[in-house]
Every structure is written in C-alpha cells, then in structure tokens.
Amino acid sequence: MSNRRHIIFIINPISGTVKKSGIRQIIESQLNKDLFDYEIIDTQYSGHASVIAQEAKDKGAHIVVAVGGDGTVNEVARAIIQSDTALGIIPCGSGNGLARHLMLPMETHKAMDIINECNIHDLDYGIINEHPFFCTCGMGFDAFISRKFAESQKRGPVTYLENILKEGLKYQSENYKITCEEGSFDIRAYLVSCANASQYGNNAYIAPQASMSDGWLDVIIMDPLDVLDAPQISIDMFNKTLDKNSKIKTFRTKHIHVKREKPGYIHYDGDPVIAGEEVDIAVVHHGIKIIVNAHADKSKRQPNMVQNAFSEFFNDLSNMRTDITKQGRHIQNINKALLRKLNN
C-alpha cells in the first residue's frame, strides 16, 4: 500500500500584492514527488477556494494548500475544519496574518520547504456568529477599517495604515454589554476584538501573547481615544507592546457574547460582514490541522517595511508630541508626516 499523500494547491491568481505567474512552476519543480501526488487548481471566483477545498476533503485529500492572502486562507481553512485534511499555506497576500503568526517564510521556495517537511499540528480556530476565523475577529473600529480596506483600489500595508490614520479620529466609540465566563459588564469602547492568533497581518500585533494551541481567545478592548492616542497605538501594535498601553484592556476566555447598540459591521480575518446587535464568539480547541514551521525562531523575526517606517518616525513623533495641544489639526500634521515617511 502506498504511503504517498495527496496534496492540492489552490491558487488565488488575484489576491494580495504578489504576482503568481511563477508559483506553479516553483511548486512543480520543488515539491517532493516521492512523498506527494498533487494537483494545482486556480480559483475562478470569490468563494471558489472553499468549494475546491470542500471537494478535496470529501475525496480524502491529506493536505490542501492555500496559495494567496488571508481571504484565501480563510476560505480554504473553513472548508476543512474538524477533518483529517490539513491546511498548508504559501503566503501571497497583502497582510499574511496567519502565515506570519506561524512564522512561515514569505518566500515561495522557502514556504515549499515547509510543505515538504509536512509537520502537522492540531491548532485552534474561532467562530463569530457562525463564521469561522483563524487569526482575529471583531467589531468597532477594526471592522470599520476592514470595510474601508476591502473597498480600496490599492492593497498593501501602506493602504491599510492610510485608512487608519485618515479615519481614526472620525470614528465614534460605541457602548457594549460583554458577557463571558467571569460575568457581565458594560463598557464604552473604540473596538472589541478577539484574537486566536497574535496579529492582523503585516506584523501588526493586536494580541502579542495569543496562542493558537492554548484553547483560549485573547479579548482586546480599546478605550475611547483622543487626538494624542492614535499614533502611539499604531506604534505599539508594530512594536508588540499594545497589551502594555493604558488604553487597552485584555483578558482570556473561551466564549464571549457581545450586545451592542445597533446592528453594524463585524469582521472575521479582515472580511467585513453586516451583523445584528448580538454577537457571539467562541474558540474551538484543536479543531484544525495545519502545517507549521518546525524551525521557527521568534528571536530572529525580521521587521517589515511598516515597522521600519515606524521605528524611523518614532523619535520625530516623540519630539512633536511635546508641543501638541488637543486640537485636531496638530495630530493631522503628524499623520501627514507619517504618511510621507511611509511613501518614501
């Protein structure tokens, strides 16, 4: 009886900012064909990756590899939860949140090395109002920004950050009633986010301590912000220190129910959808099999271009803040200066 594994690569040709023209050739030349029988399939429409992955799972495929961004990863992953079919990732998106959390290589040929090693772990995922998510979900400002980003013509970290800086000071906080294992409380918040993994993408860490194997969700509640807070919040996200910010409250739970003032957007892995006043979020412990990087070394994580831009800008920002009053025009000047730095 053959021990070869059947693996299917699902390529989203239009996701993210990375060109996919040479990926098929890299897969075909680098895949260990002594271990794998393989297929490569391109998606044709939104949601097609889920259809392909579901069919692959039903036929007993051992591994389905998402070749694309966070949206493609979510489509593939949600089709194979609670099964013996494992998820592989070749990151080609604009954020690559799950791949970065797992410390998978961003280079396709190195990602293929991880696929060939086929080190599979049982990891957690979350569910928000019946939508599976694997990195983060939430409501409030991050759901609002997810919608803005989805509507943007351009992708990438600069576009995402531009939306944050342009829209952040306009956004109004909301009232929430939160119920979890510890009880219920009312709070006014800028956002309520739940993290299964540590980051949104692009090494922007919303929950630096989050783990995908501990059976818990990290809940992040951001207090209402004033004009001085937005730049520091952004810097803390990229420096992995957001949990130390005085505007942030965090706790861990297996299940959380949120009642808000009115229906509005929620997001799951950056995908915005309209939901009602009641939002239910839970973790599913070890509910999905994922190929991981056995050689990951957190101490060797390299900053990306957004982090470098923030690092260079931090000293300038620190000096400017001493002269800022609580007039919006001053913080707008900071935001414009940061955008110029990012675009250089």
Side-chain angles (χ1 to χ4, degrees):
M1 184 175 177
S2 173
N3 291 322
R4 291 160 67 87
R5 299 184 178 190
H6 188 60
I7 185 170
I8 295 176
F9 294 85
I10 301 176
I11 300 178
N12 182 347
I14 61 172
S15 65
T17 58
V18 178
K19 293 183 179 180
K20 317 291 190 311
S21 56
I23 288 181
R24 182 181 291 266
Q25 289 75 19
I26 294 174
I27 293 171
E28 291 176 338
S29 65
Q30 197 168 334
L31 184 68
N32 186 339
K33 298 179 182 65
D34 292 331
L35 297 178
F36 299 105
D37 296 317
Y38 74 99
E39 297 178 67
I40 303 175
I41 305 173
D42 287 348
T43 60
Q44 304 297 322
Y45 52 86
S46 177
H48 193 201
S50 281
V51 174
I52 299 169
Q54 178 73 46
E55 292 175 350
K57 179 189 72 173
D58 293 344
K59 292 178 181 178
H62 295 94
I63 302 162
V64 180
V65 180
V67 185
D70 292 326
T72 306
V73 170
N74 183 284
E75 283 190 26
V76 171
R78 69 187 186 222
I80 61 173
I81 53 176
Q82 301 293 339
S83 78
D84 290 328
T85 301
L87 170 71
I89 303 172
I90 295 179
C92 300
S94 54
N96 302 313
L98 184 55
R100 290 185 187 278
H101 172 85
L102 295 171
M103 300 194 70
L104 299 177
M106 295 297 106
E107 301 88 348
T108 299
H109 69 284
K110 292 182 180 179
M112 280 300 302
D113 290 339
I114 303 301
I115 299 295
N116 281 329
E117 291 179 4
C118 202
N119 189 350
I120 298 173
H121 285 194
D122 291 318
L123 298 178
D124 305 340
Y125 69 93
I127 300 178
I128 178 170
N129 283 11
E130 301 184 352
H131 299 287
F133 68 93
F134 304 90
C135 281
T136 64
C137 73
M139 64 208 77
F141 182 65
D142 62 349
F144 172 77
I145 286 299
S146 292
R147 180 171 66 89
K148 288 287 185 182
F149 188 67
E151 294 170 351
S152 299
Q153 296 298 315
K154 294 191 296 183
R155 292 282 176 162
V158 172
T159 300
Y160 191 81
L161 190 57
E162 283 176 345
N163 279 317
I164 291 175
L165 295 172
K166 289 177 180 177
E167 304 293 341
L169 296 176
K170 304 176 189 176
Y171 187 80
Q172 297 297 310
S173 299
E174 298 181 57
N175 294 317
Y176 300 94
K177 182 179 182 65
I178 294 177
T179 303
C180 61
E181 287 98 335
E182 301 299 321
S184 296
F185 57 95
D186 297 315
I187 193 165
R188 185 166 183 82
Y190 196 68
L191 64 82
V192 178
S193 183
C194 288
N196 180 50
S198 57
Q199 62 170 282
Y200 287 133
N202 288 306
N203 291 337
Y205 290 86
I206 184 66
Q209 308 306 319
S211 166
M212 291 185 68
S213 59
D214 62 1
W216 297 92
L217 293 171
D218 285 44
V219 181
I220 303 93
I221 299 172
M222 187 177 294
D223 290 342
L225 304 181
D226 62 35
V227 294
L228 297 180
D229 296 319
Q232 187 62 52
I233 288 287
S234 298
I235 289 167
D236 286 341
M237 285 178 63
F238 288 104
N239 284 340
K240 298 177 68 174
T241 55
L242 187 64
D243 54 335
K244 307 293 192 301
N245 192 292
S246 62
K247 290 287 184 176
I248 301 297
K249 298 178 177 66
T250 64
F251 62 93
R252 286 180 173 162
T253 187
K254 297 179 185 296
H255 175 259
I256 181 173
H257 185 84
V258 182
K259 181 175 175 59
R260 50 189 179 167
E261 296 173 306
K262 58 185 183 297
Y265 278 93
I266 60 173
H267 83 88
Y268 55 96
D269 290 342
D271 192 4
V273 292
I274 287 287
E277 297 174 4
E278 309 277 344
V279 181
D280 201 68
I281 310 168
V283 66
V284 179
H285 187 42
H286 288 179
I288 184 169
K289 297 180 182 297
I290 301 180
I291 294 177
V292 301
N293 181 1
H295 312 290
D297 183 351
K298 294 181 180 180
S299 68
K300 294 182 179 180
R301 186 187 300 274
Q302 295 298 315
N304 64 7
M305 57 84 70
V306 179
Q307 289 172 289
N308 287 331
F310 269 113
S311 179
E312 293 173 8
F313 188 72
F314 184 78
N315 289 332
D316 295 339
L317 179 60
S318 297
N319 294 330
M320 293 171 70
R321 281 173 67 99
T322 60
D323 299 323
I324 294 173
T325 68
K326 291 188 177 182
Q327 299 177 31
R329 60 187 178 84
H330 293 285
I331 202 71
Q332 290 172 2
N333 289 336
I334 289 180
N335 290 350
K336 289 176 182 178
L338 179 52
L339 290 175
R340 284 196 299 271
K341 175 72 72 175
L342 288 168
N343 285 311
N344 285 337

